[in-house]
Amino acid sequence: MKRFWKEATKITRALWYADERACAFCGVERGPICPSCTINYLHPELGRCRGCGKLIMSEDILCLDCGAGKGPKQLDRIVAWGHYSGGLREFIHAVKFKAQPRRLLEIARPFSNWAINQLPPVEGVVAVPMHAARLMERGFNQAEVIASMLHWELGLPIIPGVERIEPTSSQVLLSRQERLLNLKGAFIVRKPGNIKGQNMWLVDDVTTTGATLEAVAEVLRESGAHEIYGLCLAAGLEKKLVPSCE
Ligand SMILES: [Zn+2]
Ligand SMILES: [Zn+2]
């Protein structure tokens, strides 16, 4: 019922205020991201763990896991725009599972502006690749759509030639170590010439343990990548830090 009213309000508003953009996350307030969704899901007051991108208290540099040496090692830094919960999570679900990649356009500008303020400029963007079978099923790779969005907003070239050759089963129930093992040999660089000596942003929609970014970064390193920065729409956050918004 709540969802119905949310939708109804959105439609009514769209009729009354034709040029008013609704918030991408709640659809109710004025967008692209309304102030309360910014506070609830993007947490501008929090810092990001330099190791894995998790949202942490801004006076810290690393989360507990990374502080204990259990974080990704192949990336120079990982940042995530927001916390994978509530409206941001629903938004990512709509993009991925309801086949609405166009919705990413709603956040193109604020996300790109945020990214360029967080990370050093680079020669190009690499999207975490999707296996061909999965791509056939879904029709698009959301990481590639995010990379194109950064290309259009910031003029950063997209660096092609990285592929996923192993379909990986769901990682949800696996530990970080098991995930890394599961991803071993999953990625390959087809065109090392594109990678050698380059600085890049490695883009994905969500990061939890950083294992996927780590596995891709490993093959990028083997091909001579210089600096690699992970960039995601959302990350987990340290459990006890902020009460869940769901
Ligand atoms: Zn909102
Ligand atoms: Zn961390």
Side-chain angles (χ1 to χ4, degrees), residues 48-56 61-67 70-72 208-209 238:
R48 270 67 178 166
C49 169
R50 290 215 164 211
C52 67
K54 255 202 282 298
L55 278 62
I56 53 172
I61 293 169
L62 294 173
C63 72
L64 294 173
D65 284 343
C66 293
K70 288 187 279 181
T208 44
T209 62
E238 277 197 296

Side-chain angles (χ1 to χ4, degrees), residues 44-84:
E45 82 285 10
L46 293 177
R48 270 67 178 166
C49 169
R50 290 215 164 211
C52 67
K54 255 202 282 298
L55 278 62
I56 53 172
M57 296 308 286
S58 46
E59 61 268 22
D60 296 334
I61 293 169
L62 294 173
C63 72
L64 294 173
D65 284 343
C66 293
K70 288 187 279 181
K73 311 233 165 10
Q74 302 287 346
L75 293 112
D76 291 275
R77 197 170 159 192
I78 300 177
V79 292
W81 191 33
H83 171 213
Y84 191 51

